[in-house]
Amino acid sequence: MPALANNELRIVGFLCNWCSYGGADTAGVARASQPTDLRIIRVPCSGRVDPLFVLKALLNGADGVLVSGCHPRDCHYGTGNFYARRRLEVLKRFLPILGIDPARFSYTWVSASEGQRWQKVVSRFTEEIHALGPAPRFEAVEPLAKACSWTQESKGPVSVISPELLEQLKKAIADKLPELDCVLGWQEGRDLLHSVPLFIRSEDDLTKLRCDATCHNNLVRYLPDLKGQKVGIIVRSCEARSVVQLLQEGLISREELVVFALPCQGLLDLPRLEEALGRYQRLEDLTLTETTLRLRVDGQERVFQTADFRQSRCEQCPGELPAIADQSFGDFSGQTASQTLPPELAFLDSLNLQERMGFWRACMERCILCHACRNSCPMCVCRDQCIAESREPHWQSAEASVKEKFFFQIIHALHLAGRCTGCGECQANCPVGLPIFALRAHLNRIVSELFDGYQAGCDPKAVPPLLTYSQEEAHIHERSWE
Amino acid sequence: MRIGVFICHCGSNIAGTVDCAQVAAKAALFPDVVYATDPMYTCAEPGQAAIEEAIHSHKLDGVVVASCSPRMHEPTFRKTVERAGLNPYMFEMANIREHVSWIGRDIEANTRKATELVRLAVEKLRHNRPLQAQEFPITRRVLIIGGGVAGIQAALDCADGGIPVVLVEREATIGGKMAKLDKTFPTVDCSACILGPKMVDVAQHPLITLYAHAEIEAISGYVGNFSVSIRQRTTYVDWSKCTGCGTCTEKCPSKKSYDHFNEGIAPTTAITIAFPQAIPKKAVINKDFCRQLNGKKCAVCAKVCPTGAIDFAMEDSFVTENVGSIVVATGYDLMDWTIYGQYGHGRYPDVITSLAYERLMNASGPTGGHIVRPSDGKEPKSVVFVQCVGSRDPAIGRPYCSGFCCMYTAKQAILTKDHIQDSQSYVFYMDIRAPGKMYDEFTRRAQEEYGTHYIRGRVSQIFPDGQGQLTVLGMDTLLGRPVEIKADLVVLAVGIEASRGARELAEKLRISYDAYGFFLESHVKLKPVETNTAGVFLAGVCQGAKDIPASVAQGSAAAAKVLTLFARETLASNPQIAQVTAKRCVGCGKCLRCCPFGAIKSSLVKGEEKAEVIATMCQGCGLCTATCPQGAIQLAHATDDHILAEVNALCRL
Amino acid sequence: MQLAYFPGCSAKGSSLDYELSTQAVMAALGITLKEIADWNCCGSTPAHAVSSLLSSALCARNLDLAARAGADLLATPCPSCLSNLKATSKRLEDASFRQKVNALLDAPCAETLPKTTSVMQAMAELVSLDELAQKAKLSLKGLKLVAYYGCLMSRPAELMQFEDPENPMLMERMLTALGAEMLDFPLKTACCGAAFGIPQRPLTAKNSGRILELAANLGADAIVTCCPLCQMNLDLRQAQAEKAMGRRFALPAPYYTQILGLALGLSPEDLGLAKLVVPMDGLLAKLTPKQAPLASEAPSSEVSE
Amino acid sequence: MSSDRFLAHTAIGDFLEGLVQTGYTVYCPQKEPGVRQSVIFAPWQKGLPISLEKATVAPKHLVLPQSEVLFRYSKHKESAEPAKQSLTLDANEIFTPTLLFASRPCDARGFAILDRPFLQGLFRDPYYARRREALCVVSLTCPSGCATCFCHWTGAGPSSPEGSDILMTEIAEGFVLQGITDKGKELLLASKLPEAGEKSQEATKARKAAWQSLSPVQDLSTAPQKLAEIFADQAFWSQATQACLACGACTYLCPTCYCFNITDESLDGENEQGVRLRSWDTCMAKQFTEEASGHNPRPDKAQRMRNRISHKFSSYPENWGSFSCSGCGRCVTHCPVGLDIREIVLKAIHAKTAQQNEKETS
Amino acid sequence: MMNKTLCLNSALPTKDSNAPNFSQKVAALSQQAIHTCYQCGNCSAGCPAAFAYDLQVNQIMRAVQLNQEDLALSAKSLWLCLGCATCSLRCPNAIDVARVMETLRHLARQQNKITVPVVEKFWLSFLNCLRAFGRSYEIGTMVLYMLRSLRLTTDLDLAPQALAKAKLGLLPHTHAGRAAVGRIFTRFAESEAQSKRDKEASSCN
């Protein structure tokens, strides 16, 4: 469609067929004059409105988007708008982190009899969008290559598993191994600093087991693919939360799982460590204590304080282990979450909306759409059916434009709303170092604010907040159109 | 595809503010559009014929009509394209009347907007595929909620038409408000004489199952197959044994119970039969006043009951009934007029409601039809009627007219004169609304033949003058003078409101209601008894103020709708339902968790768990589609691709 | 307990007895009234009849004085003063209006001004009915009274925030607690004719007359008042009302504070009873010493009805 | 006359600015901020800092963009006769001269590997050809190896000239630039840079030192044959790939991977119009080989990894005589689960074939 | 005035200067939705001064709705309104009728349409005393009023009782704020004069 003539702005409305579309009809029948900007898309129910439609519209040039459904409790389908209310509220609060003014999106309730209310809603919303003016276009915004320190004042040590404890664990696994198809752990990779996943199928494999602070892979990623097999897994607090989340969603079966739990004080941030190390050919030796990391590299001794290279996500780790362990090893006490924000989020918080959009724009120029973020995420359970790549439904063009790449990041983030257990694999595995964990951290913050401090993966019995509703929402307040 | 587009002028309704020819010219350029035109009236016979003709001559396989709201004519045009051999779902509508021409006068902007809405419809249609409805069997029984005159009429008409009826009444007797009336306007014939036989018919009809003193607990299911849980509220009397002999009510020592049926104008006993013609004629114990149930020794009723029907341990019980359709006829209640401090907050016994006045005049009422003042039992000589108490009063959030008060007030003024020859009645009114057959003549009679003084104005205050009478301060706006009347009795024509619990019932039925709790019809003119929930129909005042003849007519209309629905053994399901692409489904079950209808189940496909939609249960809300992260479950004709096509048509530049 | 206090002009003139009895009763209840220094007239009806701005400027000065004296609540016995003070607070929420008002004052008034209330409401807030009954020395048992609030105490309702505007019951609750029989008085918020006694006597005479007539018809021993102007119309101008209605009432119209004072055992002199034009002698004779604990008696009699 | 030229450290900006002035779009490695520092080839403008570190992502997008429009299509019709419509195609014709500065020999060698299928096969890809012709590659020789790279295993080394137009070698005060192709020599001759003179020897010394610092070479010559032999060894491939996440990081970072997908994407407008796009694809994704029927010849990641490695070390060499791997090591560095292509190839070389296994057991 | 046929069509020239926007003006000044009045008469029904009115409150509302400025502003009723707000309390359309009356009174004063001068005189007498003394001074008000209205016998019947009961303070209260109050009045008078000048200036343009 060509750009709009006159002073009209591009405003898209998603209206449920039964109430709000009828309300708009009622307003029409009453000849209630309204601004002409809004274009209405009729949907069966506000619950049908995937927040991604709203973002699609906003990224593709809409200046404002309005969703309107039946009043809570009046849904033609009973509960559709209860779900919509949660999802759309999360969406509204999510927009600012992308650099989109949340005032460009609103959702409300208008019944089929409320022609006057509809008139008021349309007039008011259109007025507000006009006050904001045309929306900045993501692809046209000035890229902002702003550097910041991603490190965080760390207070904690990193994990070192004592040889005795490791032996204890190995023995327990060896005992259990005969009844299991495999046990997931870690082993040394291309050198001593780089650990990789280990699939233990034999006593021989077991000898390679390693569980220290270099072991960053979230092994839970493999569990859904192993459904139908009896699998053991070694977890620390972060992995345990991922396990809980998958259990909640029924993607893995508790009966098929044996959970070996280890305490964890923190993990090493390898990308930063590599940066500090610089180019090297051979890593000859490694000694790790809770506070010091000694390396011999190309014949030279290098010493690092582990506190300087602790992963920032370990600062926010609640530490305690959700109640899912079959066997626990070591001492789990003494770890508490810091109240500080993840550095990525703190950085984005410090930017204004325009800067944030510019920042993401610059990031997306680097994104190569390798999908390492998605494929390493333990919660990305769509696997080969991701809507970012499917042709039916055709959510995304194959064009590698900044806009399409950004939309992919949005899909990934929004699909994690209320589900992300904060393991940080997405960001850790990005080859070009995009701080995409900020999107998830922000969503986790929203979910926590809206749903009484909810944190994904902490309670095996909880229902993820966006897959349920409550008739009265304590923290979601209907906006007034007066 | 080959798409035809029809831009309706709707006379001047659309063409007045939209350049329809230009919209059609633009539409012709849209992808896959091979024909575009702008007829005068698309929905009229020639308009529909033109669509059929165009489908044949242009070999169309999809049609877009841009006209009024699809909520109005979508079914009409679906039938039109079907007649021409297309699948009815290869049709889309653009609403360029209610959403465009009627809400703005800027022709340029409207034309642009209409063009874009047509573009949306075309883009949506391009993604449509023919859909086939499935036939499913239905339960040919009807639930009627509310046993007032509208519900009774609907029940009798349905039952006479051969459809088994389940009639649920909240009170202990059917009859509703009409059973309380003395006479009815404009004929002044006896209410009991015309309603009574119908009530008896209900009791005796073999196809009617009556649950009185019962309420709707829960409703599930969908048109053709509803499952209804009915709460049988405890009466403390085993009705299977009760013969309605009335011995208990004579002997009951608790004689100060509030008499709901008689609007509290006199006390009654704790165990009662509402009135002599009650259907069912069974006793009920008022728990609030029964001595036995309040820890005192009594049980007199149990002792005197010849059939041993009294059961103090009785509790609420539940019955489940399966029906295919529901008629809602829950009527109204009077608003709580005691919010009016200027009328004494209900402190003055001689200020009463019109419904109480009916009971005062009624020969079967506590006074045997003698009009007396509740305070002292004296016959009133000066009676003031105040209309619009709680009607047309925006200050208390009730701007609507209650519809029938003008008429019954005239009737009550006439009857007052009939009862007390030397009385003088005064009626304070704002406007007289008497548009029915013989209605205006009736209000004239009240003035001309019965000497009632009609005073145009509201009453500011009513208060006892300290000397046994009430002072009524009013205004005669025609005279331009305030007036003061010494009254013996003041009758308030109290406004109506939706029956208590109407909103909760609406939520159970998934139907809409307006700001005042009255249920919303599907179309205000053309579908006055239908609701937005298929198979649920409305009758009587629950939909909005109406008098007895209108309520009866609507009761019959609702029955006709039920009989039409049940004219077939099966119903066609809406094929616009969710469909699973098994390949994309990862079996996470998020759709199962969210589905409001339990219409998705998990089934094994090649050893893997996949979601499966139960076609006849899916109602097409699309919540599952919005929930499924991998887009594996798609609501037909509201798929992600449909909506994305619309979003893209609007937003992508 | 201390309460910032705005007496109003009548207190120093025509309703000196209201002032005396208010002071005495509050003292007896242990509440100190702290008069704001240097207050001025609220402007009464004439000021706002002429201009809202003038009226508000006069009131704003008083509110400002109270704010500067550290008060966050200001009580006044006079409903007319209270109405003007409250209307001013409301209007000052509008920034442009506030600017105009400030322009009339010597210096802009304080940003945060005290809330305002009637002495009656303040008393009810601070002293429970039980406490009141306990402090009583004499019983009002046998007295049939009607309470008369006048129009300004409760209107406009949103502004005054005083009970049910059609049927306030505060005086009834207080006096019932002290043993009096309070008759239902439908004209309790009707207008007495206000300040029109001077320029348009019939207005006042007829309206006061109607009120007095109903009270008399109901058999009241006295009509209890809370507004200086109403009291003057019902008492000083009772003869004019009698003339207008063509009958005699001889109905005392004391302030509620005077009745409370009597029950609390204060002397007629302390309460300025001598200033009442229609004497209260008959009523005084009916007072009896308190016997049973009245507080428990009063509510229980209510329940049994 | 030698075309060798000397480029002082301090003169880089002026040199590049001169190239920009002559119409080149100059791509340089630039450090980007992020949670992990990355070095990206991005268009250079005066004043922008230049990094000489090895880039995170290979520069293959200069010849094979992440996505490129092959052509645009649009349909036209008239209101009067909407059933009749015409179609216009509009191919992308604009290719600007591009200079890639400070890529590494392994990056440059990637271009040589891509050239064979795109330019030398049955079909000469016009889009690729035009971009390639417009490209001038200036490679910086490596001073040493690193922990993950292995160019010397694949038949090249830290100063291999293959694919480069100019090689530059860092010495004390700057770089010696040496023309490799005519294109490169002409560019140097036309430049205002001083002649390298004796500095050329210094550069040669530096290159030799680099060669000597490398780890021992592994012989991969038997890889094509061995990989062909164990092609059907499902157990081997399953074992080797069980940690694989099937993301595309390895292929997208690789200078030699050239799998692509072609899609039509509609663009909205008055008329029906759209673009035909060629965009990067990854053979590691399940969708890559998914057929319209739903059948997938490579349904699991083991088969896909087998394909990737066999292509690089077996089928490509069979067709073109060299590995389709320049040994840059990016796939090893950035694999989220540390899969190491070197390890898999070596394992394959040393794996026992099914026949051998049979022999042993018998 | 009351019995004259009203000309409702402003196109016809008429002596009654009926501002076409009068209704809107009153609505804006009073912040009340005048147009919602549907003439139920409840305001008049409860009005304690209705018996003395020449035009009932509802009739005044009607006059405003029909833009009958002269009719509305000439009503004596405006000056007889007791300000008790019973009308506002009882209005079914939640119009603050008392505020409309007060707005009309202010407008009438601005146009010098003071149809019951004694009432205004009483108010001005009161305000004069206030200006002078800072607090109201009953005897002073009375004396001033009697002089203004020439009603020298006002309330003389009450004098003996009032004096006997010492109901009226014979001397004005003395307090320090009187000067401050005087300044308020002075500034108010200046601002009134200024706005009048502004109005005249703008009407000249």
Side-chain angles (χ1 to χ4, degrees), chain B residues 392-395 456 458 460 480, chain E residues 38-40 46 56 90 92-93:
Chain B
R392 302 177 66 195
D393 191 345
R456 195 200 169 280
R458 270 196 188 266
S460 173
Chain E
Y38 56 28
Q39 287 296 310
C40 70
Q56 293 302 324
R90 306 265 160 83
N93 290 303

Side-chain angles (χ1 to χ4, degrees), chain C residues 135-218:
Chain C
K135 290 198 168 137
K137 303 232 161 55
L138 297 175
S139 168
L140 302 180
K141 204 159 185 182
L143 285 190
K144 282 187 180 175
L145 305 174
V146 295
Y148 174 71
Y149 297 84
C151 37
L152 289 176
M153 196 69 171
S154 59
R155 286 200 295 268
E158 318 76 65
L159 187 67
M160 300 308 284
Q161 296 293 313
F162 182 80
E163 305 257 304
D164 171 359
E166 289 283 6
N167 188 25
M169 291 294 285
L170 186 49
M171 281 197 274
E172 277 88 341
R173 289 199 296 276
M174 286 179 169
L175 296 172
T176 307
L178 297 173
E181 182 190 344
M182 300 306 294
L183 306 173
D184 184 12
F185 190 53
L187 293 182
K188 60 172 77 168
T189 64
C191 179
C192 64
F196 281 66
I198 296 168
Q200 292 286 317
R201 180 184 290 182
L203 276 180
T204 305
K206 280 206 173 172
N207 279 297
S208 295
R210 177 195 274 289
I211 292 160
L212 287 163
E213 184 176 48
L214 182 62
N217 283 351
L218 291 170

Side-chain angles (χ1 to χ4, degrees), chain B residues 567-632:
Chain B
R568 302 176 55 194
E569 297 285 338
T570 59
L571 279 180
S573 68
N574 174 7
Q576 295 178 105
I577 57 169
Q579 294 165 343
V580 178
T581 307
K583 188 184 77 170
R584 299 190 64 79
C585 177
V586 301
C588 67
K590 293 185 177 78
C591 52
L592 272 77
R593 186 164 355 216
C594 294
C595 178
F597 305 99
I600 308 174
K601 61 180 181 186
S602 179
S603 63
L604 283 179
V605 176
K606 293 181 193 159
E608 288 182 65
E609 286 206 4
K610 303 283 183 184
E612 185 189 333
V613 176
I614 306 163
T616 53
M617 287 179 78
C618 175
Q619 299 298 296
C621 68
L623 185 55
C624 53
T625 313
T627 302
C628 177
Q630 62 271 22

